[in-house]
Amino acid sequence: MRVDIITLLPQIFEKVFDESVLGSAVKNGLIDIVMHQFRDYGDGRHKTVDDTPFGGGPGMVFKPSPLVNCIRDVRKMSIPAPVIGLTPQGVSFNQDLVKELAQFDRIILVCGRYEGFDERIIHEFDFQLSIGDYVLTGGEIAAMTVVDAVSRMIPGTVGCQDSVIQDSFYEGMLDHPQYTRPSIWEGLEVPEVLQNGNHALINKYRRSRSLLTTSVSRPDVFATCDLSDSDKEIFQELIDSSSSE
Ligand code: 6GU
């Protein structure tokens, strides 16, 4: 997959894309990240990319021409790709969107800064994405989030694809808790069922913890989950056991 990133701060991505899982994926050619400094498209000797807002108010606004010229050039550099504006006004990023974006062979991410873009450029975006209900100083950290989450879905990036499939949110449900040695630590014991090697019981236990955590911590997510018949049974057992306590 090719990811083009349009930003005023290409250098802040370096470490993130150089190290660990993402770094290996880049080195192995599974993802090709191409940075574009859009100040190169700025106006005049100072390569100006922003200006004060019409109507007054704080901050600066991205001028339309430099950003649009950059986006149009980047579009033409390779195969067709959706242009995604990273803004707090965008649709909320979630695992379903991660999976959808991972289907593309190429995506183009545009990072905002300042108070935003001149509104007239937004038709240049195929859509806008937000990574949550808070405001960041720019879209760069959001772009890193998108690249990190999407790259994990590309076969080969994460050592064991099973770990991706079992991840929190992948199957719509939060992950079950994990434990490792020692079996007793500071008086806290690893649940017996995980230590006895009965995989049918282990799977059932883990599924029941996932159902419990999701229903308690994220009732909004739980409400959208399609429970299988066995999930329904396990969940009913959870309810029965809690009401008998
Ligand atoms: Cl994508 N950009 C900015 N500036 N703030 C955000 C965001 C993006 N997502 C959530 N907050």
Side-chain angles (χ1 to χ4, degrees), residues 6 35 37 43 55 59-60 80 88 91 95-96 135 143 164 168 173-174 198 209 216 219 231 235 244:
I6 296 174
M35 306 299 304
Q37 169 56 275
D43 291 337
M60 299 290 274
V91 296
Q95 195 66 32
D96 288 337
V135 180
V164 171
S168 289
M173 210 71 78
L174 292 175
N198 182 333
R209 300 308 299 186
V216 172
D231 281 341
F235 196 63
S244 67

Side-chain angles (χ1 to χ4, degrees), residues 186-237:
E186 295 198 346
L188 301 170
E189 209 164 334
V190 174
E192 168 66 31
V193 57
L194 298 178
Q195 301 186 61
N196 68 13
N198 182 333
H199 286 281
L201 279 182
I202 290 172
N203 288 341
K204 185 175 171 194
Y205 171 79
R206 286 181 163 167
R207 191 65 187 169
S208 102
R209 300 308 299 186
S210 285
L211 291 163
L212 183 63
T213 319
T214 313
S215 61
V216 172
S217 309
R218 293 298 304 273
D220 56 323
V221 171
F222 192 71
T224 67
C225 286
D226 247 341
L227 298 191
S228 66
D229 287 342
S230 105
D231 281 341
K232 285 177 193 157
E233 248 171 63
I234 295 172
F235 196 63
Q236 191 57 50
E237 280 174 29

Side-chain angles (χ1 to χ4, degrees), residues 116-180:
F117 308 99
D118 184 304
E119 187 68 14
R120 291 167 295 180
I121 73 142
I122 63 164
H123 62 264
E124 209 64 35
F125 298 137
D126 291 290
F127 60 96
Q128 298 178 60
L129 260 189
S130 158
I131 61 163
D133 294 340
Y134 39 80
V135 180
L136 302 169
T137 56
E140 282 76 11
I141 291 172
M144 291 175 199
T145 305
V146 171
V147 174
D148 188 293
V150 170
S151 64
R152 302 180 67 260
M153 291 296 119
I154 300 170
T157 54
V158 175
C160 173
Q161 207 62 18
D162 280 356
S163 78
V164 171
I165 289 163
Q166 285 180 13
D167 263 339
S168 289
F169 282 120
Y170 187 83
E171 290 288 1
M173 210 71 78
L174 292 175
D175 209 359
H176 55 77
Q178 298 278 16
Y179 301 88
T180 187

Side-chain angles (χ1 to χ4, degrees), residues 8 48-54 56-63 112-118:
L8 282 182
T48 306
V49 293
D50 58 341
D51 205 340
T52 53
F54 271 118
M60 299 290 274
V61 176
F62 280 144
K63 294 156 71 69
R113 285 253 133 204
Y114 309 115
E115 295 302 309
F117 308 99
D118 184 304

